[in-house]
Amino acid sequence: MKKTSIILLVVIAVCVAGMVMMVGDFSTYETFATARKKEGKKIHVIGALDKGKEVVYDPAKDANYFSFFMKDKSGEVTKVVFNGTRPTDFEKSTELVLTGKMVGSEFHCDKILMKCPSKYKDEQTAYSAQKDI
C-alpha cells in the first residue's frame, strides 16, 4: 500500500471514532424517574408547572433561590430548585424544559427554557372563522 492510502485510512478511522463518541453526548428528554437512576448526571426534563403547588421566590430574602413543583411527561410531580432569579411570566408558561440533575428527591436545575402560549392564537382562530363565512 502507498503511504497516502494508509494516511487516508487512519484519518477516516479517526473521524469515525470521533463521530461515535459524539453520538453518546446527544441528550434526550428524561423523566424524573429516569433522572433518579442517573443521579448526579446532567439531563433534560420536559414537563409543565404544577400550579396547584407552592412557588417560592423571595428576592428580599435570597434573590438567587427559586423553587417550584413540576409535573413531567409521565405525570410525576417533583420539587425543582433553581439557583437564579424567577423568569418573567413564569406562571404563563405552557411547557418547561429543565437542564440539571437530581440531588436527593429534588431536581436542581441551572437552565430553564419556557414555552409560552402564542399571542397569535386568538387572531388565527378569528381569521379561520372569517374564512369559513
Side-chain angles (χ1 to χ4, degrees):
M1 278 188 148
K2 294 182 182 178
K3 288 182 181 181
T4 56
S5 298
I6 294 172
I7 292 172
L8 184 62
L9 285 174
V10 170
V11 168
I12 291 172
V14 168
C15 290
V16 168
M19 289 172 43
V20 167
M21 288 189 328
M22 284 182 12
V23 168
D25 290 338
F26 291 135
S27 61
T28 59
Y29 295 124
E30 305 280 347
T31 62
F32 290 125
T34 58
R36 278 187 192 79
K37 294 175 186 172
K38 301 176 181 180
E39 187 170 348
K41 184 179 178 192
K42 191 174 274 195
I43 59 166
H44 299 282
V45 177
I46 190 167
L49 175 67
D50 187 347
K51 295 181 181 181
K53 299 221 180 198
E54 182 181 26
V55 175
V56 177
Y57 180 65
D58 186 5
K61 186 177 177 183
D62 185 359
N64 289 320
Y65 180 84
F66 174 51
S67 70
F68 57 94
F69 288 85
M70 186 176 97
K71 183 185 288 186
D72 66 8
K73 290 293 183 180
S74 68
E76 182 180 349
V77 177
T78 300
K79 182 177 182 179
V80 177
V81 176
F82 177 62
N83 291 321
T85 59
R86 188 180 131 262
T88 307
D89 294 333
F90 181 75
E91 283 79 13
K92 293 180 182 178
S93 65
T94 58
E95 194 172 69
L96 300 171
V97 178
L98 308 177
T99 304
K101 55 188 170 184
M102 289 299 292
V103 177
S105 64
E106 299 176 339
F107 187 79
H108 288 236
C109 69
D110 53 14
K111 187 175 179 183
I112 300 175
L113 259 73
M114 300 185 313
K115 180 180 178 188
C116 294
S118 174
K119 64 181 181 178
Y120 303 109
K121 189 173 186 178
D122 292 334
E123 292 176 16
Q124 288 174 346
T125 55
Y127 176 73
S128 60
Q130 286 178 343
K131 193 175 179 181
D132 292 339
I133 297 176

